[in-house]
Coordinates of all heavy atoms in Angstrom, one line a residue:
K1 N 9.2 66.0 117.7 CA 8.7 64.8 117.0 C 9.8 64.0 116.4 O 10.6 64.6 115.7 CB 7.7 65.3 116.0 CG 6.5 66.0 116.5 CD 5.6 65.1 117.3 CE 4.3 65.8 117.8 NZ 3.4 64.9 118.6
M2 N 9.8 62.7 116.6 CA 10.7 61.8 116.0 C 10.1 60.4 115.9 O 9.1 60.1 116.5 CB 12.0 61.8 116.8 CG 11.9 61.3 118.2 SD 13.4 61.6 119.3 CE 12.8 63.1 120.1
T3 N 10.8 59.6 115.1 CA 10.3 58.3 114.8 C 11.4 57.2 115.0 O 12.5 57.4 114.7 CB 9.8 58.2 113.4 OG1 8.8 59.2 113.1 CG2 9.2 56.8 113.0
S4 N 11.0 56.1 115.6 CA 11.9 55.0 115.8 C 12.4 54.5 114.4 O 11.6 54.6 113.4 CB 11.3 53.8 116.5 OG 10.8 54.2 117.8
G5 N 13.7 54.1 114.3 CA 14.2 53.6 113.1 C 14.8 54.6 112.1 O 15.2 54.3 111.0
K6 N 14.8 55.9 112.5 CA 15.3 56.9 111.7 C 16.6 57.5 112.4 O 16.6 57.6 113.7 CB 14.3 58.0 111.5 CG 13.2 57.6 110.6 CD 12.2 58.8 110.3 CE 12.9 59.9 109.5 NZ 12.0 61.0 109.1
W7 N 17.5 58.0 111.6 CA 18.7 58.7 112.2 C 18.4 60.2 112.5 O 17.8 60.8 111.7 CB 19.9 58.6 111.2 CG 20.5 57.2 111.2 CD1 20.2 56.2 110.3 CD2 21.4 56.6 112.1 NE1 20.9 55.1 110.6 CE2 21.7 55.3 111.7 CE3 22.1 57.1 113.2 CZ2 22.6 54.5 112.4 CZ3 23.0 56.3 113.9 CH2 23.2 55.0 113.5
Y8 N 18.9 60.6 113.6 CA 18.8 62.0 114.0 C 20.1 62.5 114.5 O 21.0 61.7 115.0 CB 17.7 62.2 115.1 CG 16.3 61.9 114.6 CD1 15.8 60.6 114.9 CD2 15.5 62.8 113.9 CE1 14.5 60.3 114.5 CE2 14.2 62.4 113.5 CZ 13.7 61.2 113.8 OH 12.5 60.8 113.4
N9 N 20.3 63.8 114.5 CA 21.6 64.4 115.0 C 21.3 65.2 116.3 O 20.4 66.0 116.4 CB 22.1 65.4 114.0 CG 22.5 64.8 112.6 OD1 23.1 63.7 112.6 ND2 22.0 65.4 111.6
L10 N 22.2 64.9 117.3 CA 22.2 65.5 118.6 C 23.5 66.3 118.7 O 24.5 65.8 118.3 CB 22.0 64.5 119.7 CG 20.8 63.6 119.7 CD1 20.8 62.7 120.9 CD2 19.5 64.4 119.6
K11 N 23.4 67.4 119.4 CA 24.6 68.2 119.7 C 24.4 68.9 121.0 O 23.4 69.5 121.3 CB 25.0 69.2 118.6 CG 26.3 70.0 118.9 CD 26.7 70.8 117.7 CE 25.8 72.1 117.5 NZ 26.3 73.0 116.5
V12 N 25.5 68.9 121.8 CA 25.5 69.7 123.1 C 26.7 70.5 123.2 O 27.8 70.0 122.8 CB 25.4 68.7 124.3 CG1 26.5 67.8 124.4 CG2 25.3 69.6 125.6
I13 N 26.6 71.7 123.6 CA 27.7 72.6 123.9 C 27.7 73.0 125.3 O 26.6 73.5 125.8 CB 27.7 73.8 122.9 CG1 27.8 73.4 121.5 CG2 28.9 74.8 123.3 CD1 27.6 74.6 120.5
M14 N 28.7 72.8 126.1 CA 28.8 73.4 127.4 C 30.1 74.1 127.6 O 31.2 73.6 127.4 CB 28.7 72.3 128.5 CG 28.6 72.8 129.9 SD 28.2 71.6 131.1 CE 27.9 72.7 132.6
K15 N 29.9 75.4 127.9 CA 31.0 76.3 128.2 C 30.8 77.0 129.5 O 29.7 77.7 129.7 CB 31.1 77.3 127.1 CG 32.4 78.1 127.1 CD 32.6 79.0 125.9 CE 34.0 79.7 125.9 NZ 34.2 80.5 124.7
G16 N 31.7 76.8 130.5 CA 31.4 77.3 131.8 C 30.3 76.5 132.4 O 30.3 75.3 132.5
N17 N 29.2 77.3 132.8 CA 28.0 76.6 133.4 C 26.9 76.6 132.4 O 25.8 76.2 132.8 CB 27.6 77.3 134.7 CG 27.1 78.7 134.5 OD1 27.2 79.3 133.4 ND2 26.4 79.2 135.5
N18 N 27.1 77.1 131.2 CA 26.0 77.2 130.2 C 25.9 75.9 129.3 O 26.9 75.5 128.7 CB 26.1 78.4 129.3 CG 25.0 78.6 128.4 OD1 25.1 78.4 127.2 ND2 23.8 79.0 128.9
I19 N 24.7 75.4 129.2 CA 24.5 74.2 128.4 C 23.5 74.5 127.3 O 22.4 75.1 127.5 CB 23.9 73.1 129.3 CG1 24.8 72.7 130.4 CG2 23.6 71.8 128.4 CD1 24.1 71.8 131.5
Q20 N 23.9 74.2 126.1 CA 23.0 74.4 124.9 C 22.9 73.0 124.2 O 23.9 72.4 123.9 CB 23.5 75.4 123.9 CG 23.6 76.8 124.5 CD 24.2 77.8 123.5 OE1 24.8 77.4 122.5 NE2 24.1 79.1 123.9
C21 N 21.6 72.6 123.9 CA 21.4 71.3 123.3 C 20.6 71.5 122.0 O 19.5 72.1 122.0 CB 20.6 70.4 124.2 SG 21.4 70.1 125.8
Y22 N 21.1 70.9 120.9 CA 20.6 71.0 119.6 C 20.0 69.7 119.1 O 20.6 68.6 119.4 CB 21.6 71.5 118.6 CG 22.2 72.9 118.9 CD1 23.1 73.1 119.9 CD2 21.8 73.9 118.1 CE1 23.6 74.4 120.1 CE2 22.3 75.2 118.3 CZ 23.2 75.4 119.3 OH 23.7 76.7 119.6
F23 N 18.9 69.7 118.4 CA 18.3 68.6 117.7 C 18.2 68.9 116.3 O 17.6 69.8 115.9 CB 17.0 68.3 118.3 CG 16.3 67.0 117.8 CD1 16.5 65.8 118.5 CD2 15.6 67.0 116.6 CE1 15.9 64.6 118.1 CE2 15.0 65.8 116.2 CZ 15.2 64.6 116.9
N24 N 18.9 68.1 115.4 CA 19.0 68.3 114.0 C 19.4 69.8 113.7 O 18.7 70.5 112.9 CB 17.7 67.9 113.3 CG 17.6 66.4 113.1 OD1 18.5 65.7 113.3 ND2 16.4 66.0 112.6
D25 N 20.4 70.3 114.4 CA 20.9 71.6 114.3 C 20.0 72.7 114.7 O 20.4 73.9 114.5 CB 21.3 71.8 112.8 CG 22.4 70.9 112.3 OD1 23.3 70.6 113.1 OD2 22.4 70.4 111.2
H26 N 19.0 72.5 115.4 CA 18.1 73.5 115.9 C 18.2 73.5 117.5 O 18.1 72.5 118.1 CB 16.6 73.2 115.6 CG 16.4 73.3 114.1 ND1 16.3 74.5 113.4 CD2 16.2 72.3 113.2 CE1 16.1 74.3 112.1 NE2 16.0 73.0 111.9
L27 N 18.5 74.7 118.0 CA 18.6 74.8 119.5 C 17.3 74.6 120.1 O 16.3 75.2 119.8 CB 19.1 76.2 119.8 CG 19.3 76.5 121.3 CD1 20.3 75.6 122.0 CD2 19.6 78.0 121.5
K28 N 17.2 73.6 121.0 CA 16.0 73.2 121.7 C 16.0 73.4 123.2 O 15.0 73.6 123.8 CB 15.7 71.7 121.4 CG 15.4 71.4 119.9 CD 14.1 72.0 119.5 CE 13.8 71.7 118.0 NZ 12.5 72.3 117.6
L29 N 17.2 73.3 123.8 CA 17.3 73.4 125.2 C 18.5 74.3 125.6 O 19.5 74.3 125.0 CB 17.6 72.0 125.9 CG 16.6 70.9 125.5 CD1 17.1 69.6 126.0 CD2 15.2 71.2 126.2
Q30 N 18.3 75.2 126.6 CA 19.4 76.0 127.1 C 19.2 76.2 128.6 O 18.0 76.5 129.0 CB 19.4 77.3 126.4 CG 20.6 78.2 126.8 CD 20.8 79.3 125.8 OE1 21.9 79.5 125.3 NE2 19.8 80.1 125.6
T31 N 20.2 76.0 129.4 CA 20.1 76.2 130.8 C 21.5 76.4 131.4 O 22.5 76.2 130.7 CB 19.5 75.0 131.5 OG1 19.2 75.2 132.9 CG2 20.4 73.7 131.4
D32 N 21.6 76.8 132.6 CA 22.8 77.0 133.4 C 22.8 76.0 134.6 O 21.8 75.8 135.2 CB 23.0 78.4 133.9 CG 23.2 79.4 132.8 OD1 23.7 79.1 131.7 OD2 22.8 80.6 133.0
D33 N 24.0 75.4 134.8 CA 24.1 74.6 136.0 C 25.5 74.5 136.5 O 26.5 74.5 135.6 CB 23.6 73.1 135.6 CG 23.5 72.3 136.9 OD1 22.5 72.4 137.6 OD2 24.5 71.5 137.1
N34 N 25.7 74.5 137.8 CA 27.1 74.6 138.4 C 27.5 73.3 139.1 O 28.5 73.3 139.8 CB 27.2 75.7 139.4 CG 27.0 77.1 138.7 OD1 27.8 77.4 137.8 ND2 26.0 77.8 139.0
T35 N 26.7 72.2 138.9 CA 26.9 71.0 139.7 C 28.3 70.4 139.4 O 29.0 70.0 140.3 CB 25.8 70.0 139.4 OG1 24.6 70.6 139.7 CG2 26.0 68.7 140.3
F36 N 28.7 70.3 138.1 CA 30.0 69.7 137.8 C 30.8 70.8 137.0 O 30.7 70.8 135.8 CB 29.7 68.5 136.9 CG 28.9 67.4 137.5 CD1 27.7 67.0 136.9 CD2 29.3 66.8 138.7 CE1 26.9 66.1 137.5 CE2 28.5 65.8 139.3 CZ 27.3 65.5 138.7
P37 N 31.6 71.6 137.7 CA 32.3 72.6 137.1 C 33.7 72.2 136.5 O 34.3 73.0 135.9 CB 32.5 73.6 138.3 CG 32.6 72.7 139.5 CD 31.7 71.6 139.2
E38 N 34.0 71.0 136.8 CA 35.4 70.5 136.4 C 35.3 69.6 135.1 O 34.2 69.3 134.6 CB 36.0 69.8 137.5 CG 36.2 70.7 138.8 CD 36.5 69.9 140.0 OE1 36.4 68.6 140.0 OE2 36.7 70.5 141.1
S39 N 36.5 69.2 134.6 CA 36.6 68.4 133.5 C 36.1 67.0 133.8 O 36.1 66.6 134.9 CB 38.0 68.3 133.0 OG 38.6 69.6 132.8
G40 N 35.7 66.3 132.8 CA 35.3 64.9 132.9 C 35.4 64.1 131.6 O 35.6 64.7 130.5
K41 N 35.0 62.9 131.6 CA 35.0 62.0 130.5 C 33.8 62.3 129.6 O 32.8 62.9 130.1 CB 35.1 60.6 130.8 CG 36.4 60.2 131.5 CD 36.5 58.7 131.8 CE 37.8 58.3 132.5 NZ 37.8 56.8 132.8
I42 N 33.8 61.8 128.4 CA 32.6 61.8 127.5 C 32.2 60.4 127.2 O 32.9 59.4 127.4 CB 32.9 62.6 126.2 CG1 34.0 61.8 125.4 CG2 33.4 64.0 126.5 CD1 33.4 60.9 124.3
G43 N 30.9 60.3 126.8 CA 30.4 59.0 126.5 C 29.0 59.0 125.9 O 28.5 60.1 125.4
L44 N 28.3 57.9 125.9 CA 27.0 57.7 125.4 C 26.1 57.0 126.4 O 26.6 56.3 127.3 CB 27.0 56.9 124.1 CG 27.8 57.6 123.0 CD1 28.0 56.6 121.8 CD2 27.1 58.8 122.5

């Protein structure tokens, strides 16, 4: 649950093939994926 016009915090951690995604410091998503195993740029 979220509302337009309010600030929220997002965080993602990826180590190896494991992805963890946090919303306001609470872990909400976790999965493994091997599609992009190499380094890359960051952005929005």
Side-chain angles (χ1 to χ4, degrees):
K1 296 293 184 180
M2 64 194 96
T3 304
S4 302
K6 292 184 64 176
W7 286 97
Y8 297 96
N9 297 314
L10 306 179
K11 181 173 74 174
V12 60
I13 300 172
M14 187 167 189
K15 189 171 183 180
N17 69 348
N18 182 253
I19 303 170
Q20 298 179 347
C21 303
Y22 295 77
F23 185 94
N24 281 354
D25 297 322
H26 296 285
L27 179 62
K28 295 293 184 181
L29 304 168
Q30 185 165 236
T31 189
D32 294 331
D33 189 79
N34 295 300
T35 304
F36 303 119
E38 300 164 354
S39 306
K41 295 182 179 180
I42 64 94
L44 298 168

